[in-house]
Amino acid sequence: MISMVNIKDKFLQINDYWNPRIGGELNDSYIKMVKIKGEFIWHHHDHEDEMFFVWQGKLVIRLRNGEIVLNEGEFIVIPKGIEHQPIAEEEVHLLLIEPKTTLNTGNVVNERTVLNPQGI
């Protein structure tokens, strides 16, 4: 089935942080939508690259050798195996494009791990 997605309307339905929702599917990948605020955990993904697209706000991604700042309309691909830590001083709305097998916490499983992201 073909369906149009209004990104702004979907983000209005998200009322929590760090809980990625599935906004769409593309081949073997999900297009996830998530609101974040504060610091996430250091982690990496052994087998998957991960794309962060900033829809709203300003995202800092810490790397072991520095940091990258992303503003609205910018994206970055973090290659598999690269340890990173997303940080949002203020609320950020992100689109994540990643394989369906990707855990939001990568190689770490804890209370922030979302094993079965829900659709939105």
Side-chain angles (χ1 to χ4, degrees):
M1 175 164 77
I2 299 174
S3 59
M4 184 275 303
V5 173
N6 183 301
I7 296 170
K8 183 178 176 182
D9 288 346
K10 293 291 186 185
F11 275 117
L12 288 173
Q13 297 176 46
I14 299 174
N15 298 310
D16 57 358
Y17 297 124
W18 303 108
N19 185 7
R21 308 305 203 296
I22 299 168
E25 296 184 37
L26 177 68
N27 298 317
D28 293 327
S29 295
Y30 284 135
I31 301 164
K32 295 179 182 175
M33 305 177 78
V34 64
K35 288 183 181 179
I36 66 170
K37 187 174 181 182
E39 292 188 3
F40 203 53
I41 60 170
W42 280 98
H43 68 284
H44 69 273
H45 303 275
D46 289 325
H47 306 289
E48 304 100 351
D49 298 336
E50 184 176 30
M51 184 183 129
F52 293 84
F53 178 89
V54 178
W55 177 260
Q56 180 180 312
K58 177 179 156 185
L59 175 68
V60 175
I61 298 184
R62 280 191 192 145
L63 304 169
R64 290 300 182 187
N65 62 352
E67 65 181 33
I68 298 166
V69 177
L70 297 172
N71 295 295
E72 291 180 13
E74 296 179 327
F75 74 86
I76 189 168
V77 175
I78 303 294
K80 64 184 170 190
I82 301 295
E83 197 169 22
H84 58 285
Q85 179 190 35
I87 300 169
E89 290 183 20
E90 301 295 327
E91 183 174 279
V92 173
H93 299 184
L94 288 176
L95 293 169
L96 306 169
I97 301 175
E98 54 197 16
K100 292 178 180 179
T101 56
T102 305
L103 278 182
N104 64 318
T105 54
N107 64 314
V108 177
V109 176
N110 64 16
E111 67 279 354
R112 286 192 160 174
T113 302
V114 178
L115 295 174
N116 298 301
Q118 302 301 304
I120 188 165

